Amino acid sequence: MYPRTYQPTLTVSDNVKEQRSFHYFHICVAQETFGSVQTAPWYELVLQASQSVPIVQHAVFALGFLLQAREADAKARLLTCATTSQVSEDLMRSSLLQYTKAMSLLSSETSCSQASQRSALIVCPLFVWIEILNRRLDPALQHLKGGLSILNSFNSAPSEPRIASSLRDMYARLHAQARFHGSPTSDFNTQAMNVRVGSPGTLSGPFADLAEARRYLDGIAEALYLEVRNIHTSTGNSKIERSSIDGTAGEDDSSLFDMLRISLTKWHARFVTLTNDSTSGRPSPASSAEAMLLLQHLSLNMIIEGVLCKSEMAYDQHTATFERMLSLAERILRTNRPSGLAVLPLDSGVIAPLFMIALKCRDIVVRWKAVALLELAPEQECMWRRDDVIAFARWKFRKEGHENPPTGDGLYSEVVPLADAARSHSERSSTQFVGGRAVTVLHFKVGESAADGSSVFESEITDLSADMGDIL
């Protein structure tokens, strides 16, 4: 769609403030995320389109102003400075103005030409990010649904128009994370989009590079999260095209998850071949990217194990895997310290895997190490917010009688895995109004569940964020 060698000009407006917002966006894109394999979606698509497509340009300005406002707001909280706070408010107003202009152009666009549809495809992820950064998850998911609908119309066209692979990659990652994270007040997952963005096909040879390995792993993640969502919502209807993953068929959920597990095993074998054959002089970012992909691979395997296991005690068997995940996350964080700037990550990141360790590992020392690493993570990775997941992990620790971390005095030197009777699990969240105020209610089970899943849920009103999603 766009030439890979394209380099956008950094002069896009005569307005000094707009020009500054574009530069800020450019800086944040340049250091996109931890272990990033490629930043092509931003450089090849967004920045180029912003040169000539007004709707994309206004969206970029809006996002640039918003990112600056977040930085100014952080400084204001740190310095307790009224002047800095006023700067943040002015930047927020500028962001809203540019966002309104972009939305107006989108709603007034009546052309069904491929050019206008491509512009809409490019701008929808920007709208998603604006809403996510403003802590408005449901409108973000609505924008994503709109973009997926357009992409689906391209896919179903008699002669499918060419869509840049980096654009498909962007949607595949956002789609998978939206499926997994969800929102209890959105219809994104209850009115399922029957579209598979990532379709890596059958593995028939070694990976050409890390980007190809990442794309294939993204396809497995999208399929897995979609099926987990179907189970979570009790629809009982698998929307996965079984033949698209590995060329095999499955008759029920167990065979499907077994098939996904086989796909992950094949992926890992080819990934090891790729990394072993690579030159020893590979720069450190590539090494960090490899760690990120390995972390995602282990996380997907653990999700499959969690779906298939019959008891929370089954996680006793996977402490070594959790420790390996912890080691990879620590390596990523050590190599890529947060810069303080907001980033627009498309990778799965470290927050969700560390959150999984804190929730599911049976070793309390490992769980508290995961929380300690979460405190070093970026403020946000896609829909996952660091402070939200830490707050939830601490709530669960209190519920299970481990409110305080190990003290180093040998108290936890002989750790015994939590007994089933003490285990909190099957957590779900909902938003309710109590005294006219919206609160998050956690529904959970304690102790061993009945084999048919009929165990009774307990409920507790909490001060946790409603943006935690609806699958834990």
Side-chain angles (χ1 to χ4, degrees):
M1 179 177 175
Y2 296 116
R4 184 169 294 277
T5 57
Y6 178 83
Q7 292 295 326
T9 174
L10 297 183
T11 304
V12 294
S13 173
D14 294 331
N15 183 291
V16 175
K17 291 184 177 179
E18 290 179 349
Q19 184 69 18
R20 185 181 296 118
S21 75
F22 180 86
H23 275 272
Y24 199 91
F25 175 86
H26 184 273
I27 292 170
C28 290
V29 167
Q31 50 113 47
E32 184 205 26
T33 185
F34 289 6
S36 178
V37 176
Q38 59 187 122
T39 54
W42 301 126
Y43 279 110
E44 295 180 19
L45 301 172
V46 175
L47 288 178
Q48 179 178 359
S50 68
Q51 311 292 297
S52 57
V53 182
I55 185 175
V56 178
Q57 187 174 96
H58 285 302
V60 168
F61 290 157
L63 197 45
F65 280 125
L66 178 56
L67 293 170
Q68 290 178 83
R70 284 168 59 90
E71 183 182 26
D73 187 55
K75 289 180 179 178
R77 292 195 303 269
L78 181 65
L79 303 174
T80 317
C81 177
T83 303
T84 307
S85 179
Q86 182 61 47
V87 170
S88 174
E89 293 175 6
D90 291 343
L91 289 166
M92 287 296 293
R93 282 192 290 269
S94 296
S95 176
L96 178 59
L97 176 62
Q98 294 292 339
Y99 186 32
T100 302
K101 289 180 179 179
M103 288 292 294
S104 177
L105 287 172
L106 181 65
S107 61
S108 64
E109 178 62 68
T110 58
S111 172
C112 294
S113 66
Q114 285 190 13
S116 64
Q117 294 290 290
R118 289 178 193 275
S119 296
L121 272 179
I122 294 170
V123 82
C124 276
L126 296 177
F127 291 162
V128 169
W129 269 111
I130 290 170
E131 295 292 3
I132 286 177
L133 292 175
N134 278 316
R135 297 192 74 104
R136 296 192 294 258
L137 184 56
D138 289 2
L141 294 176
Q142 196 65 28
H143 282 307
L144 179 56
K145 189 193 297 186
L148 288 168
S149 295
I150 296 172
L151 188 60
N152 200 30
S153 67
F154 274 103
N155 292 342
S156 60
S159 177
E160 183 179 337
R162 182 172 178 267
I163 302 294
S165 61
S166 56
L167 184 59
R168 290 186 182 277
D169 291 345
M170 180 186 288
Y171 273 98
R173 288 163 198 146
L174 286 174
H175 186 211
Q177 294 193 46
R179 281 291 192 202
F180 190 49
H181 187 280
S183 167
T185 52
S186 169
D187 64 358
F188 183 86
N189 282 313
T190 56
Q191 297 181 1
M193 294 292 298
N194 191 13
V195 55
R196 287 286 311 286
V197 182
S199 182
T202 302
L203 272 177
S204 58
F207 294 126
D209 50 30
L210 287 177
E212 185 180 358
R214 181 193 193 196
R215 185 172 295 116
Y216 190 89
L217 195 59
D218 286 341
I220 298 175
E222 188 183 9
L224 175 58
Y225 294 158
L226 178 55
E227 191 62 19
V228 170
R229 175 59 59 182
N230 289 331
I231 294 174
H232 178 70
T233 56
S234 301
T235 63
N237 298 317
S238 170
K239 297 179 179 65
I240 297 178
E241 292 294 333
R242 288 151 168 78
S243 61
S244 69
I245 299 295
D246 204 48
T248 60
E251 296 298 328
D252 54 30
D253 286 341
S254 294
S255 62
L256 171 60
F257 285 110
D258 284 339
M259 181 188 63
L260 288 169
R261 184 156 45 188
I262 291 171
S263 294
L264 285 170
T265 300
K266 292 182 177 180
W267 178 90
H268 186 259
R270 286 163 173 77
F271 181 79
V272 170
T273 299
L274 170 67
T275 54
N276 286 345
D277 289 345
S278 299
T279 61
S280 58
R282 186 169 51 250
S284 58
S287 177
S288 182
E290 291 169 11
M292 187 72 76
L293 292 177
L294 286 171
L295 181 59
Q296 183 182 3
H297 168 262
L298 290 175
S299 300
L300 295 175
N301 267 312
M302 286 308 304
I303 290 172
I304 292 176
E305 294 297 331
V307 170
L308 295 179
C309 72
K310 302 299 183 182
S311 165
E312 286 285 306
M313 296 296 281
Y315 287 105
D316 284 354
Q317 305 169 27
H318 301 290
T319 300
T321 301
F322 285 129
E323 290 176 334
R324 173 61 175 153
M325 291 169 62
L326 197 70
S327 175
L328 287 167
E330 185 174 18
R331 171 181 161 190
I332 293 165
L333 289 167
R334 186 172 59 249
T335 306
N336 301 272
R337 290 290 183 186
S339 65
L341 291 174
V343 294
L344 307 177
L346 295 174
D347 296 290
S348 57
V350 298
I351 293 179
L354 288 172
F355 188 37
M356 179 189 297
I357 298 171
L359 295 188
K360 298 301 183 183
C361 182
R362 309 286 288 184
D363 186 320
I364 191 63
V365 173
V366 175
R367 295 171 74 184
W368 272 107
K369 285 181 179 178
V371 171
L373 285 179
L374 277 169
E375 292 174 346
L376 301 177
E379 179 182 353
Q380 183 171 357
E381 291 172 337
C382 201
M383 297 166 197
W384 298 99
R385 291 180 177 273
R386 177 192 61 208
D387 293 345
D388 290 349
V389 301
I390 291 176
F392 182 89
R394 290 181 179 274
W395 171 88
K396 181 158 183 170
F397 289 178
R398 289 194 300 271
K399 183 62 61 178
E400 296 178 339
H402 291 292
E403 183 171 358
N404 298 313
T407 59
D409 59 3
L411 181 61
Y412 292 107
S413 60
E414 297 293 334
V415 176
V416 177
L418 286 170
D420 248 6
R423 189 69 171 172
S424 165
H425 59 94
S426 305
E427 294 89 354
R428 303 288 184 267
S429 66
S430 65
T431 300
Q432 297 180 13
F433 286 88
V434 177
R437 182 174 67 93
V439 297
T440 298
V441 179
L442 281 180
H443 311 275
F444 56 94
K445 297 181 180 182
V446 176
E448 188 172 1
S449 292
D452 62 0
S454 61
S455 304
V456 177
F457 276 93
E458 299 181 23
S459 296
E460 181 178 317
I461 296 175
T462 73
D463 58 358
L464 298 174
S465 170
D467 294 335
M468 271 300 301
D470 64 343
I471 186 165
L472 300 167

